[in-house]
Structure formats: C-alpha cells, structure tokens
Amino acid sequence: MSSRSQDLVRIRPDLSTKIRVTTDSSSEESFQNTTLRPVIKFQNDLLLAAFRNYVIKHKGHFFEIAQEKQFKYIENAIQKDIKFRNSLKGMLIGQFTVEEYERYIQSSSSLNKRMMQMVIERLKDQLQLLHPASVQY
C-alpha cells in the first residue's frame, strides 16, 4: 500500500466496532461498510457545508419550509441535480485509495446509488446542523 493510501486510511474514523462485515456480505456491502461509511463520516462537515451552500445559492427558501418538505428537498437536490450529485461524489471518491477506486469502478453504478442514499440519510439526520445559525467555524 502506498504512503497516500496508508495516510488516507489512517485519518478515517474507525467504525470497525459498529459495523460487521461477514463472509456472507456481498462485495458491494463490504465496500460500503469498509470504505464508504468511514469516508462519508470523515467528510461529514464538508458535505454539510456543500449542501448549505447549495441551498443558499438556490434562494435559501429551504430554511423556511416544513421538515418533511426539507427531507424531500434534500432527496431531490441529490437525485435530480446531476452537477451537485457529481460534486458530492467527487468529495467522496477523492478520499479513496487507488485500490479502493479500482474496486469502486467495477460496480460504480450500484455503489453510487448506495453512496448517495447514505449521504441523503446523513443530511436528513443532521437537519438541525444545516441551518446557518448552527454554523461554527
């Protein structure tokens, strides 16, 4: 493993106590648990900032709508705005090791769906952190 790969893996949060990877796990489920979850958790603050910026650039009405509509807004933004979705994917894929990237490209379509669904759920779970008043730099 290269120095870059070792450094990337080293700085990620260790989720091994929370996630079980078994021999019954599919290769995609294994990749999700060993790579995607730690990378998404590591990039959490950046994902929140990117979504907050997206909302503000799109007139910011997100902050005034009801919670259920906010959930729908998050889903629609990530599923339908291809440029935004690709930007989020880039933030995550850029944290892969070369070995992980080679695994990723073998089934990128299904892994992209998993990745974006995980990001959607993470943003929904942290809705209160998306509001500008909660930002602390």
Side-chain angles (χ1 to χ4, degrees):
M1 195 181 293
S2 73
S3 175
R4 178 185 181 276
S5 295
Q6 290 169 335
D7 290 344
L8 284 171
V9 171
R10 183 182 47 76
I11 62 174
R12 291 180 191 160
D14 180 14
L15 304 179
S16 61
T17 59
K18 298 177 183 177
I19 299 170
R20 300 279 181 245
V21 178
T22 65
T23 54
D24 295 338
S25 300
S26 70
S27 65
E28 291 165 359
E29 185 177 359
S30 175
F31 187 82
Q32 171 183 302
N33 291 330
T34 59
T35 301
L36 293 180
R37 286 188 191 284
V39 167
I40 290 170
K41 184 170 178 110
F42 178 72
Q43 293 291 76
N44 186 64
D45 291 345
L46 183 59
L47 295 169
L48 288 170
F51 187 78
R52 193 177 304 108
N53 181 58
Y54 176 86
V55 166
I56 291 167
K57 284 192 173 196
H58 288 85
K59 303 199 179 28
H61 78 280
F62 173 83
F63 302 115
E64 287 90 40
I65 60 178
Q67 183 174 334
E68 281 306 311
K69 288 189 178 198
Q70 288 178 328
F71 288 161
K72 257 320 198 200
Y73 188 105
I74 291 169
E75 289 174 18
N76 287 335
I78 293 173
Q79 291 170 351
K80 296 189 174 158
D81 188 327
I82 295 168
K83 282 175 62 176
F84 182 59
R85 181 175 65 228
N86 286 340
S87 175
L88 295 175
K89 283 192 295 191
M91 291 175 195
L92 302 175
I93 294 168
Q95 293 297 314
F96 290 177
T97 65
V98 173
E99 298 83 6
E100 290 167 338
Y101 180 73
E102 289 170 353
R103 282 179 58 200
Y104 162 79
I105 58 176
Q106 292 173 2
S107 41
S108 60
S109 180
S110 62
L111 289 171
N112 284 338
K113 288 177 188 166
R114 286 176 184 257
M115 194 182 336
M116 290 301 101
Q117 195 55 47
M118 292 167 67
V119 170
I120 288 168
E121 291 308 312
R122 188 168 255 306
L123 291 173
K124 286 180 178 180
D125 289 345
Q126 300 178 90
L127 195 59
Q128 73 282 1
L129 297 177
L130 291 172
H131 293 272
S134 68
V135 177
Q136 294 179 2
Y137 294 100

